[in-house]
Amino acid sequence: MTLFDGITARLVETPRLAVNVLERTGDSAATPPERTVVFIHGNVSSSLFWQETMLDLPSDLRVLAIDLRGFGGSEHLPIDATRGVRDFSDDVHATLEALGIATAHLVGWSMGAGVIMQYALDHPVLSLTLQAPVSPYGFGGTRRDGSRLTDDDAGCGGGGANPDFVQRLTDRDTSDEAPTSPRSVFRAGYVAAGYETEHEDVWVESMLTTSTATGNYPGDSVTSESWPGFGAGTVGVLNTMTPGHFDVSGIAELADKPPILWIHGTVDAIVSDSSFYDLNNLGKLGVIPGWPGDEVAPAQEMVSQTRDVLGRYAEAGGEVRELALEGTGHSPHLERPVEFRHALLEVIGYVGHPQNPSPPTEAIILRSSD
């Protein structure tokens, strides 16, 4: 793995699997929970994506980034998708237990945000930062209220992955010769047009750590009588987020509500109300033939669903800050690092600290009185 100066990696043995963890050189294991921040990456990525952010945070914090199973340097064990993302969240809990961390501030990106929402349903946390989060109702196949379009989640899960993209992951293709190469997908899907970085090779390397072995990415599928002809399977990454397996909307009813930061870009190609990764939206756009129409297969209103659920969280007494970054794609921590850093430090209680001198971020604060 390509590690930046100041970042170290180690394998943490847990009763569930061996987990790769990135840490900052010099961080103390004696740091209290209220100054401990744990980063969880998204789909087709790894903890390598968090290195810039980790190094940019104040030195008196303890910051860690965990590789989920099947990604980065963690073991590539099969994923039981019928448990939603619980294999992932249970792995995170086992890792934190092994490290002696009883609770912490959790930061999750995309699928990783779903993982930390599930974690918060099962274990106490100090705060949640949801970056470009998967909808609380999963990815694809639901109406605005979260109700499923079909009983077999047609058009969702492992069958929706592009086979050429999967093969290029397997082949560790670093080129940009095709739209389905990981590098091209990063440029088109992970960030907005105009993003520039000297670290693109590292981000592509991170994507290429994705295991495509049976039970990992993308997962299996079943035939369906509904358009587009397949439904969700029971193993693998993409099936963990199908609506029949995944629903963390119950977070709104948590008795103890940690503060939540929801940060997302307004031109996110992956998580939006008109996602280019939602097969129903692609059908509506004419990319996939035979689309049966809005009554049968509407595009999933992902951002609106998140706003609805977090609105209920706020109405029930929780504190939610929504920060929508104009012109930003799926990776605010890469594209708008100053705003991301400041918003994160605010939600973990670092407001006014000498190492957080940035001006206040402009955000929508959702409260019970809104």
Side-chain angles (χ1 to χ4, degrees), residues 51-241:
Q51 294 183 93
E52 285 184 324
T53 305
M54 293 170 69
L55 291 172
D56 197 34
L57 290 174
S59 59
D60 62 339
L61 298 177
R62 183 185 186 189
V63 295
L64 311 94
I66 295 174
D67 281 336
L68 301 174
R69 68 169 61 193
F71 299 95
S74 291
E75 280 194 77
H76 295 179
L77 298 183
I79 299 159
D80 179 1
T82 66
R83 304 185 69 234
V85 295
R86 289 180 182 88
D87 273 358
F88 293 137
S89 61
D90 288 351
D91 291 346
V92 171
H93 183 250
T95 304
L96 296 184
E97 278 199 320
L99 293 171
I101 299 173
T103 187
H105 301 280
L106 301 187
V107 182
W109 176 26
S110 195
M111 180 183 76
V115 172
I116 68 170
M117 283 189 277
Q118 181 62 60
Y119 189 103
L121 288 171
D122 299 330
H123 309 285
V125 300
L126 298 180
S127 72
L128 295 174
T129 295
L130 310 176
Q131 175 180 253
V134 61
S135 163
Y137 299 113
F139 199 94
T142 56
R143 301 174 184 85
R144 173 73 177 263
D145 64 1
S147 58
R148 296 163 67 193
L149 299 177
T150 65
D151 290 339
D152 58 1
D153 295 332
C156 303
N162 186 299
D164 191 61
F165 174 64
V166 177
Q167 188 60 52
R168 289 174 185 273
L169 286 175
T170 302
D171 295 342
R172 297 187 59 81
D173 176 16
T174 61
S175 75
D176 59 0
E177 65 181 20
T180 50
S181 74
R183 189 179 298 273
S184 297
V185 169
F186 170 79
R187 293 173 180 173
Y190 284 39
V191 293
Y195 169 75
E196 296 182 359
T197 176
E198 62 180 327
H199 299 307
E200 184 177 86
D201 287 347
V202 180
W203 310 152
V204 173
E205 177 189 346
S206 178
M207 296 172 70
L208 293 175
T209 66
T210 302
S211 172
T212 56
T214 300
N216 292 122
Y217 184 85
D220 62 345
S221 64
V222 298
T223 58
S224 173
E225 295 182 359
S226 302
W227 183 88
F230 71 88
T234 60
V235 298
V237 175
L238 294 185
N239 292 312
T240 66
M241 294 175 283

Side-chain angles (χ1 to χ4, degrees), residues 292-317:
D294 273 322
E295 288 297 318
V296 176
Q300 183 188 13
E301 299 176 79
M302 303 177 186
V303 173
S304 295
Q305 289 176 332
T306 296
R307 187 169 289 115
D308 291 345
V309 170
L310 295 185
R312 294 201 298 271
Y313 187 93
E315 290 170 359

Side-chain angles (χ1 to χ4, degrees), residues 273-296:
D273 284 0
S274 53
S275 168
F276 292 109
Y277 289 73
D278 177 4
L279 268 63
N280 286 354
N281 187 49
L282 294 179
K284 184 174 185 176
L285 295 173
V287 177
I288 301 176
W291 181 63
D294 273 322
E295 288 297 318
V296 176

